[in-house]
Amino acid sequence: MAGDDGKRSVFGDQAGSVELLWGGRERPSRGPKPALSLERITRTAIALADTGGLGAVSMQRVAGELDFTKMSLYRYVPGKSELVALMIDMAMGEPPGAPSPGSPGSPDSPGSPAQGDSGRWRVALRAWAEELAAVYHRHPWLLGAAVGPRVLGPNELGWTERALAALADTGLTGGERLDAVVVVHGHIRSIAQVSASMGLGSTRAKEPEQVMSAALNELLAGRADRFPAVAAAVAATEADHTSRNQAWEFGLERILDGLAAYMARGRGIG
């Protein structure tokens, strides 16, 4: 796949994903009206991944769920890598909009911790983080699929656009805005990975702190004198029930605090 200037695309063998994600590939034109569609194929694959993980997805399995042959799918999707690219973008969905004035959580709402223009970026970025965490909770397989060098689809790139737009009037440079989004996204992914590894999508799952405390208590039995700081922290956590499941909240707030302090220094405040 070459660009307008005749140079080879930087995406190389992922050119097929570019065509599928960005509209360069049309549906089959030969024969009768197609009974399948890219959307139907992709939604079926997502349903399989939501139930059994990404490993449960294969061209054969998807074809079987749709009651078609595997060869029928290849008229629409060249292979599994391109299918996964479509799955990621569809599962991500469209990015959330900025909180509207007066809505819960907006800087203008009563009791908002961040009133006025200076707090808008924080409220918008927090809302973005909450929505992204919800996406990973609904589709935990995304954590393993959306990694490494790959083609971003319009939905996924739209999420980055929304986060960067939230930081547009903060005084941060372009590079700093990108770095800030990477840091926030990294925190969300980290907590989501811990939750997924503990099976927290299950109704029987326990909170992360409960799981970790139980494991540490078992290891510390008879060894607390060797690890007094760990033992003290675990005991304090168990005594304070309000601290349960707060790693996500604590980490995000500290990241946002750090960004706010950095912005203030750039404006000569403090």
Side-chain angles (χ1 to χ4, degrees), residues 187-226:
H187 173 64
I188 303 309
R189 279 187 62 95
S190 176
I191 298 299
Q193 285 171 330
V194 171
S195 297
S197 70
M198 293 179 178
L200 296 183
S202 166
T203 56
R204 295 177 297 173
K206 297 180 179 179
E207 295 175 344
E209 282 80 357
Q210 288 179 295
V211 177
M212 185 171 293
S213 292
L216 289 174
N217 276 327
E218 185 170 335
L219 292 174
L220 289 169
R223 305 183 183 94
D225 56 339
R226 184 179 176 185

Side-chain angles (χ1 to χ4, degrees), residues 6-229:
K7 294 182 180 179
R8 182 175 176 79
S9 168
V10 297
F11 294 111
D13 58 4
Q14 298 184 67
S17 295
V18 177
E19 294 176 352
L20 286 169
L21 288 166
W22 291 92
R25 186 184 182 94
E26 298 181 357
R27 72 181 189 182
S29 58
R30 290 184 178 181
K33 182 178 180 180
L36 282 174
S37 67
L38 278 177
E39 179 179 356
R40 187 180 172 197
I41 292 169
T42 305
R43 289 193 184 281
T44 299
I46 288 174
L48 287 171
D50 286 347
T51 302
L54 198 59
V57 179
S58 68
M59 298 295 280
Q60 183 69 55
R61 181 78 182 278
V62 173
E65 291 290 320
L66 292 166
D67 200 24
F68 278 82
T69 65
K70 182 170 69 172
M71 293 307 297
S72 299
L73 264 62
Y74 287 123
R75 298 179 65 208
Y76 298 82
V77 188
K80 183 175 177 178
S81 61
E82 291 83 2
L83 177 57
V84 171
L86 290 169
M87 291 168 60
I88 292 171
D89 206 55
M90 183 177 286
M92 290 294 298
E94 293 187 3
S100 58
S103 64
S106 75
D108 304 312
S109 63
S112 172
Q115 294 284 346
D117 292 340
S118 63
R120 291 185 185 278
W121 69 266
R122 182 170 186 143
V123 173
L125 197 56
R126 181 185 174 85
W128 178 88
E130 291 173 344
E131 292 287 344
L132 182 60
V135 169
Y136 285 139
H137 181 74
R138 289 193 299 269
H139 309 291
W141 55 269
L142 278 171
L143 296 164
V147 294
R150 58 194 176 79
V151 180
L152 301 181
N155 283 339
E156 190 174 8
L157 193 58
W159 280 81
T160 302
E161 170 70 18
R162 173 55 60 191
L164 290 172
L167 296 167
D169 298 320
T170 58
L172 297 179
T173 66
E176 289 170 341
R177 293 195 297 274
L178 284 167
D179 289 342
V181 173
V182 168
V183 171
V184 174
H185 189 191
H187 173 64
I188 303 309
R189 279 187 62 95
S190 176
I191 298 299
Q193 285 171 330
V194 171
S195 297
S197 70
M198 293 179 178
L200 296 183
S202 166
T203 56
R204 295 177 297 173
K206 297 180 179 179
E207 295 175 344
E209 282 80 357
Q210 288 179 295
V211 177
M212 185 171 293
S213 292
L216 289 174
N217 276 327
E218 185 170 335
L219 292 174
L220 289 169
R223 305 183 183 94
D225 56 339
R226 184 179 176 185
F227 305 99

Side-chain angles (χ1 to χ4, degrees), residues 249-260:
E249 178 76 21
F250 180 84
L252 179 61
E253 284 300 306
R254 299 299 75 75
I255 291 171
L256 298 179
D257 286 346
L259 286 173

